[in-house]
């Protein structure tokens, strides 16, 4: 059952989303070569709490940190720890907040200093695929139109679209119905309606779309070891079209 949110509920979700967006802006300022992913996670946790919100990922199904931090070949769900961030890395940071009972969820991949053309183009394509998907988040469209739009942008430039993980409805829970795949036919899935709120989150790989899970039980990496990028926004479907809630 897909939850429909009232306008008032969407306004609370916008506050949760803004906190996430502000957190990701802070990360952009603070991310430097030489710091560990654990140090970055501490900044994220402190920042979210300073906004009177709760880090949504901390202890979620046992996840031990406030941000998922995934470097280079890591796709998503990287556990912050002793890994040192280096010049030339791309770092995906996924952040969730809970504010007045509602969730916000957004992710971004950051370049650390000078990065290769391969990584730059991957990041640009992934963000472009997210925006193409968001543009289809409209009342009366099929959910599959979002999926197909993301897939088309990514595959038109030869990238691999991760299939094992998908976007999701979001509200009083981080993960609600419907699932939002980043691939598929535009005719598939439920019809989108005003008041639905979904997290659209393409995970795009330089090489194969196939992924595997590391022995830590969380970290998803590309099967071929090539780089991956991840961009995500929480988006409300309104009578005026898509409304991105995870912006400052
Ligand atoms: Mg997320
Ligand atoms: Mg998400």
């Amino acid at each position: 059952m897909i939850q429909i949110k009232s306008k008032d509920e969407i306004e609370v979700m916008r506050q949760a989303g803004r906190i996430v967006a502000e957190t990701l802006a802070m990360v952009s300022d603070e991310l430097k070569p030489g710091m560990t992913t654990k140090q970055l996670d501490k900044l994220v946790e402190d920042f979210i709490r300073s906004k009177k919100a709760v880090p949504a990922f901390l202890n979620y199904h046992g996840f031990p940190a406030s941000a998922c931090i995934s470097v280079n070949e890591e796709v998503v769900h990287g556990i912050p720890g002793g890994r040192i961030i280096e010049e030339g890395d791309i770092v995906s940071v996924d952040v969730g907040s809970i504010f007045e009972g509602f969730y916000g969820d957004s992710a971004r991949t950051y370049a650390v200093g000078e990065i290769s053309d391969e990584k730059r183009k991957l990041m640009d394509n992934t963000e472009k695929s997210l925006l193409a998907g968001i543009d289809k988040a409209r009342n009366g469209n099929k959910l599959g139109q979002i999926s197909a739009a993301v897939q088309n942008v990514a595959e038109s430039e030869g990238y691999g679209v991760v299939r094992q993980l998908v976007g999701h409805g979001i509200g009083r829970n981080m993960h609600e119905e419907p699932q939002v795949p980043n691939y598929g036919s535009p005719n598939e899935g439920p019809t989108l309606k005003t008041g639905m709120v979904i997290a659209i989150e393409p995970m795009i790989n330089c090489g194969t779309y196939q992924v595997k899970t590391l022995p830590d039980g969380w970290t998803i990496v590309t099967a071929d070891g090539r780089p991956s990028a991840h961009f995500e926004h929480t988006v409300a479907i309104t009578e005026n079209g898509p409304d991105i809630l995870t912006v400052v």
Side-chain angles (χ1 to χ4, degrees):
M1 165 100 189
I2 301 175
Q3 307 277 343
I4 298 295
K5 280 80 180 180
S6 70
K7 284 186 176 169
D8 287 349
E9 288 172 328
I10 288 173
E11 288 316 307
V12 180
M13 292 192 73
R14 193 185 307 284
Q15 296 182 65
R18 185 179 301 125
I19 292 165
V20 171
E22 289 171 347
T23 308
L24 291 175
M26 178 277 295
V27 168
S28 181
D29 292 338
E30 298 295 333
L31 183 59
K32 302 271 181 336
M35 72 195 303
T36 66
T37 53
K38 181 81 197 162
Q39 287 171 317
L40 190 57
D41 178 66
K42 175 81 166 94
L43 294 176
V44 166
E45 175 168 4
D46 291 349
F47 187 90
I48 293 173
R49 292 194 191 284
S50 78
K51 300 291 175 181
K52 310 288 179 235
V54 174
F57 299 168
L58 188 60
N59 302 318
Y60 185 82
H61 292 289
F63 190 78
S66 296
C68 297
I69 303 178
S70 309
V71 183
N72 295 335
E73 79 289 352
E74 296 172 353
V75 179
V76 287
H77 302 168
I79 301 174
R83 183 168 182 165
I84 294 170
I85 295 165
E86 295 177 11
E87 170 95 15
D89 283 345
I90 56 172
V91 180
S92 299
V93 179
D94 193 346
V95 170
S97 75
I98 312 168
F99 183 78
E100 293 184 1
F102 283 94
Y103 284 73
D105 187 8
S106 183
R108 229 158 103 181
T109 301
Y110 301 85
V112 182
E114 289 293 311
I115 60 169
S116 65
D117 276 359
E118 177 188 58
K119 286 175 173 172
R120 170 65 60 194
K121 286 178 181 159
L122 170 71
M123 286 175 55
D124 289 349
N125 178 278
T126 306
E127 192 164 17
K128 197 165 70 168
S129 75
L130 170 60
L131 296 176
I134 290 172
D135 188 56
K136 300 294 183 190
R138 296 174 186 276
N139 182 54
N141 278 3
K142 287 282 191 188
L143 187 137
Q145 290 178 250
I146 297 173
S147 310
V150 171
Q151 183 176 19
N152 286 342
V153 169
E155 292 186 349
S156 69
E157 294 184 35
Y159 293 111
V161 177
V162 173
R163 285 150 168 71
Q164 193 175 313
L165 299 124
V166 297
H168 49 93
I170 180 168
R172 288 187 183 277
N173 303 285
M174 185 147 64
H175 296 120
E176 299 183 352
E177 289 186 54
Q179 293 200 345
V180 184
N182 296 302
Y183 62 94
S185 152
N187 307 315
E188 288 171 353
T191 300
L192 302 173
K193 294 208 172 10
T194 294
M196 290 182 182
V197 184
I198 54 177
I200 306 173
E201 51 177 315
M203 290 148 268
I204 307 296
N205 298 346
C206 272
T208 176
Y209 70 80
Q210 282 170 325
V211 297
K212 58 187 184 183
T213 308
L214 292 186
D216 65 22
W218 281 104
T219 313
I220 308 287
V221 298
T222 56
D224 59 9
R226 294 182 67 192
S228 182
H230 181 213
F231 284 84
E232 174 180 29
H233 274 304
T234 298
V235 180
I237 292 150
T238 75
E239 55 204 10
N240 301 315
D243 186 355
I244 302 175
L245 303 181
T246 37
V247 289
V248 176

